[in-house]
Amino acid sequence: MSDVLPSCPQCSSPYTYEMGALLVCPECAHEWTAEEPQETVIKDSVGNVLADGDTVSVVKDLKVKGQAQSIKVGTKVRNIRLVDPIDGHDISCKVDGFGPMHLKSSVVKKV
């Protein structure tokens, strides 16, 4: 074999093999394509593309665990960072009065 196959992205096993257009891991049975990962585009609730450093506004009241009050509609959040989704939360930010947290892009609108 002239080219080296990548390790399994799930269990890091070096024993991957090709099966048609797929790569397969014999240890954990994970299957994936060998294509380069495409850059994901994160959009807000109305379809605007978000980028790191943007300012967004919250479009609905958000209850916060461990807090008596909620984040109100219209609260501005400055200097957001886009991150890999953690339970659907793809924005990392600091909200005034609440501190650092993760938000879903579906509950914000770009300002």
Side-chain angles (χ1 to χ4, degrees), residues 7 16 34 42-43 47 85 106-107:
S7 297
T16 58
I42 298 176
K43 296 183 179 183
S106 61
V107 298

Side-chain angles (χ1 to χ4, degrees), residues 19-74:
M19 185 171 71
L22 295 176
L23 293 174
V24 181
C25 175
E27 293 183 0
C28 70
H30 180 64
E31 298 178 352
W32 71 100
T33 59
E35 296 177 9
E36 292 296 317
Q38 296 178 354
E39 189 173 320
T40 58
V41 175
I42 298 176
K43 296 183 179 183
D44 66 3
S45 62
V46 293
N48 298 322
V49 176
L50 297 173
D52 286 344
D54 282 346
T55 298
V56 295
S57 174
V58 177
V59 295
K60 70 181 217 176
D61 286 345
L62 302 173
K63 293 182 181 177
V64 180
K65 277 187 177 177
Q67 295 281 334
Q69 68 250 27
S70 61
I71 300 173
K72 300 294 181 190
V73 172

Side-chain angles (χ1 to χ4, degrees), residues 11-22:
C11 71
S12 301
S13 169
Y15 305 113
T16 58
Y17 62 91
E18 289 180 290
M19 185 171 71
L22 295 176

